[in-house]
Amino acid sequence: MFRLLVILSLLPGISASRPDSLVYARLDSMITEYTLALRTEDTPVKCREVDFMISSCSDSAARSHIAIKLYSNYVDSPVMGEEEVAIHIYDKWFATGEVKMNSETDLLNARIFADFNRNSLIGMDAPVLEMENLTGARERVPVKGKTCLLYFYDVSCPSCSTQTILLPYALSEVDFDIEFIAIYTGADRKAWETYCSEKLQFDNPHIRVHHLWDPEIETDYQRMYSILSTPRLFMVEPQGSIIGRRLSAESLGQLLIYAGAIQNLYDKYLK
C-alpha cells in the first residue's frame, strides 16, 4: 500500500499540458514495482488494485498513461495466468471508452488479445475440440477423467522443433497417466504424417499420444486456445479445468507434481 500511495502522490504533477518525461519514467518504474509486489495475490485482488489505481487519477492523460502501462505489464507478464488482469483492464477501461489507448490500432490489438485469450484462462473449463486423427477418425479432446497436455505445433516452426525434442525428457519420470494431445496447426498432410512418424516419441508408458489436426479450422481452436503462434502447451486436469497455459518443457516440473496429486485424488474419490 505504501508504494501505491507514493504512486498516487505523483499524479498531480502529471497533466496533458505538462507531460514531464522524467515524472512519467519514475511513475512507470513504480507501477512496475507495484505489479511485481502483487504477484503473490490472486487475480481478483490484482483486478481491484489496478482499478483503484486507474480510477484514482482525475487527469485523463495521466489515467490513460497508467492504464496503458498496467495493461502492458500484464500482457507481457511471464507469470502464468496474469493475462487475465490484462483482459480485465481492456474490458473495464478500454472497451468501454472510459480510457483511451494511444491509437485505434492499439485498441484493435487489445481487443484481439482479449478475444483470443478469454476462453482458455486458468481455472476455466477447457474448450472441447473434435478433430481428425491419422486414421481419419474423429476424437474429442481433452479426454475426460485424464490429465491432458494439449500441444499445438507446426512442423516448420523452429521453436516447436526445440520443444518437441525437450518434451519427452520433461515427461520421462511421470508416474501417472497423461494423454498427450499433439495438434498440428498446419494443412500439409504429408508433412504432418512424416512428422508424427519421426517426432514426439515417448519411452514413458504413462504417456499416450494422440496426433490430431483440423486443417479447415472448423473447431475455431485458434480463438478457443489463443493459438496466434506456436508452440502452445496447455495442461488440463481430469475434470476438465485448465491448470496450465503458456507452458514450456522447462516449466512443467512443479506443475506435474500438482497434476499428479489431482489425478490421484480423482482416481480415488471421483472416478
Side-chain angles (χ1 to χ4, degrees), residues 153-155 184 187-197:
Y153 72 95
D154 194 354
V155 298
Y184 171 49
D188 185 335
R189 185 177 185 91
K190 184 176 181 180
W192 176 47
E193 290 175 343
T194 300
Y195 196 86
C196 292
S197 66

Side-chain angles (χ1 to χ4, degrees), residues 3-74:
R3 178 63 62 184
L4 178 56
L5 292 175
V6 174
I7 291 171
L8 295 178
S9 72
L10 289 174
L11 300 184
I14 305 173
S15 67
S17 60
R18 196 178 75 84
D20 190 324
S21 60
L22 292 177
V23 173
Y24 274 130
R26 187 180 174 203
L27 177 63
D28 286 352
S29 176
M30 288 184 172
I31 290 172
T32 296
E33 286 186 47
Y34 192 65
T35 55
L36 290 173
L38 286 174
R39 280 192 173 168
T40 57
E41 302 290 345
D42 60 21
T43 297
V45 171
K46 293 173 185 175
C47 291
R48 288 197 300 269
E49 290 292 327
V50 299
D51 286 346
F52 179 67
M53 194 182 300
I54 295 168
S55 64
S56 296
C57 184
S58 58
D59 181 81
S60 60
R63 187 189 308 117
S64 177
H65 181 88
I66 290 170
I68 291 170
K69 177 60 178 174
L70 286 166
Y71 174 79
S72 176
N73 282 0
Y74 283 110

Side-chain angles (χ1 to χ4, degrees), residues 151 153 155 160-161 164-165 168 180 182 191-202 209 211:
Y151 178 54
Y153 72 95
V155 298
C160 298
S161 296
T164 295
I165 292 171
F180 189 93
W192 176 47
E193 290 175 343
T194 300
Y195 196 86
C196 292
S197 66
E198 298 176 356
K199 310 290 184 181
L200 288 173
Q201 305 297 318
F202 294 88
V209 182
H211 289 292

Side-chain angles (χ1 to χ4, degrees), residues 129-134 137-142 150-151 153 180-186 192 196 209-215:
L129 307 175
E130 186 173 305
M131 293 182 161
E132 183 180 329
N133 64 23
L134 285 165
R138 308 288 291 184
E139 292 188 31
R140 287 171 62 87
V141 293
L150 277 68
Y151 178 54
Y153 72 95
F180 189 93
I181 293 94
I183 299 173
Y184 171 49
T185 60
W192 176 47
C196 292
V209 182
H210 305 247
H211 289 292
L212 304 177
W213 76 332
D214 177 16

Side-chain angles (χ1 to χ4, degrees), residues 115-127:
D115 288 348
F116 273 74
N117 282 274
R118 67 172 75 252
N119 297 302
S120 58
L121 298 172
I122 299 295
M124 286 186 168
D125 289 341

